[in-house]
Amino acid sequence: EDKVVQSPLSLVVHEGDTVTLNCSYEVTNFRSLLWYKQEKKAPTFLFMLTSSGIEKKSGRLSSILDKKELFSILNITATQTGDSAIYLCAVIMNYGGSQGNLIFGKGTKLSVKP
Amino acid sequence: DSGVTQTPKHLITATGQRVTLRCSPRSGDLSVYWYQQSLDQGLQFLIQYYNGEERAKGNILERFSAQQFPDLHSELNLSSLELGDSALYFCASSVGAGGNTIYFGEGSWLTVV
């Protein structure tokens, strides 16, 4: 069965800390991996990763994909209270199964304390 | 703002009733996805439409149905509502049938009392 597993499920840190969120996957016909940030409502898109070893960066956030070991990490440096959110990882497959062609992990809930 | 529009934002209704959630995808997007998110659950995929045709079906209950219209907007119909149907229902859209980033609407928060 295709699945995406995120860890940890929740994380509490203090402002200024650096965090690493993990996403591992077991899917058939992998195409790309997506990271989203969900605050109060809609998940907002962060990164799309298709190739191994190429880091994507946006400000204090960065992410990288390892297609050999089947995982991705999302790093957040110098965390701020505004980074508090649920971070979702999703994998796009080349064809759709019972979950469509996009499978989400359950998310990592990050809480940043002042 | 993702460009995906959902209405209504909030809805409270009684058990046994029927509601319709509406979604307008981003301009140019042909695919529409529906997801359900409950308090302790992740995003549960319900159904996907691409250019008016059903593309993929997930864990959608028989009491639920959806369609995508010629103007590409979509509706999710929920009937014989139960307390457990209370959740946030997201619509998302993408350009193609698969392999593209999907963008989420703000969601419709359904409370069944």
Side-chain angles (χ1 to χ4, degrees):
Chain A
E1 183 186 338
D2 298 320
K3 61 181 179 181
V4 175
V5 178
Q6 292 187 244
S7 64
L9 290 179
S10 67
L11 189 56
V12 181
V13 300
H14 287 95
E15 272 191 316
D17 289 349
T18 293
V19 298
T20 298
L21 310 183
N22 303 292
C23 175
S24 63
Y25 59 91
E26 289 179 32
V27 302
T28 49
N29 230 333
F30 172 91
R31 183 164 183 164
S32 302
L33 185 143
L34 306 173
W35 283 98
Y36 288 87
K37 177 183 181 182
Q38 185 178 21
E39 295 176 87
K40 289 189 172 36
K41 281 276 192 86
T44 53
F45 171 73
L46 294 175
F47 299 112
M48 182 176 189
L49 303 157
T50 304
S51 302
S52 267
I54 298 174
E55 187 182 49
K56 293 274 183 97
K57 287 197 77 166
S58 176
R60 296 176 294 102
L61 275 66
S62 64
S63 183
I64 197 161
L65 174 67
D66 186 328
K67 289 167 74 173
K68 185 179 175 186
E69 300 296 331
L70 309 183
F71 77 92
S72 174
I73 59 172
L74 175 68
N75 280 318
I76 309 175
T77 59
T79 52
Q80 302 170 359
T81 55
D83 295 327
S84 296
I86 296 172
Y87 290 84
L88 296 166
C89 171
V91 167
I92 301 175
M93 300 180 293
N94 280 317
Y95 64 87
S98 64
Q99 299 187 60
N101 68 315
L102 186 67
I103 303 178
F104 279 88
K106 292 202 180 298
T108 293
K109 183 176 180 180
L110 174 65
S111 299
V112 181
K113 304 293 186 188
Chain B
D1 182 3
S2 67
V4 179
T5 305
Q6 287 187 250
T7 56
K9 287 186 172 27
H10 299 94
L11 192 57
I12 301 174
T13 191
T15 53
Q17 295 298 304
R18 172 191 168 95
V19 299
T20 297
L21 310 181
R22 194 176 190 280
C23 170
S24 294
R26 293 187 321 155
S27 176
D29 284 1
L30 299 178
S31 265
V32 169
Y33 305 76
W34 286 98
Y35 288 87
Q36 179 193 57
Q37 188 176 43
S38 305
L39 271 176
D40 296 322
Q41 297 285 325
L43 281 164
Q44 302 291 316
F45 170 70
L46 295 178
I47 199 165
Q48 177 198 359
Y49 281 84
Y50 174 73
N51 205 20
E53 300 287 328
E54 183 182 301
R55 179 78 176 180
K57 204 166 186 175
N59 299 318
I60 187 167
L61 299 172
E62 283 191 14
R63 300 183 284 110
F64 296 0
S65 65
Q67 54 184 326
Q68 186 180 29
F69 295 88
D71 67 352
L72 301 177
H73 91 270
S74 177
E75 292 181 355
L76 178 67
N77 299 297
L78 315 173
S79 62
S80 302
L81 285 167
E82 301 174 1
L83 296 177
D85 297 326
S86 296
L88 193 51
Y89 291 84
F90 284 110
C91 170
S93 72
S94 68
V95 170
N100 312 106
T101 301
I102 70 170
Y103 295 88
F104 285 83
E106 291 292 305
S108 291
W109 188 268
L110 174 66
T111 301
V112 182
V113 297

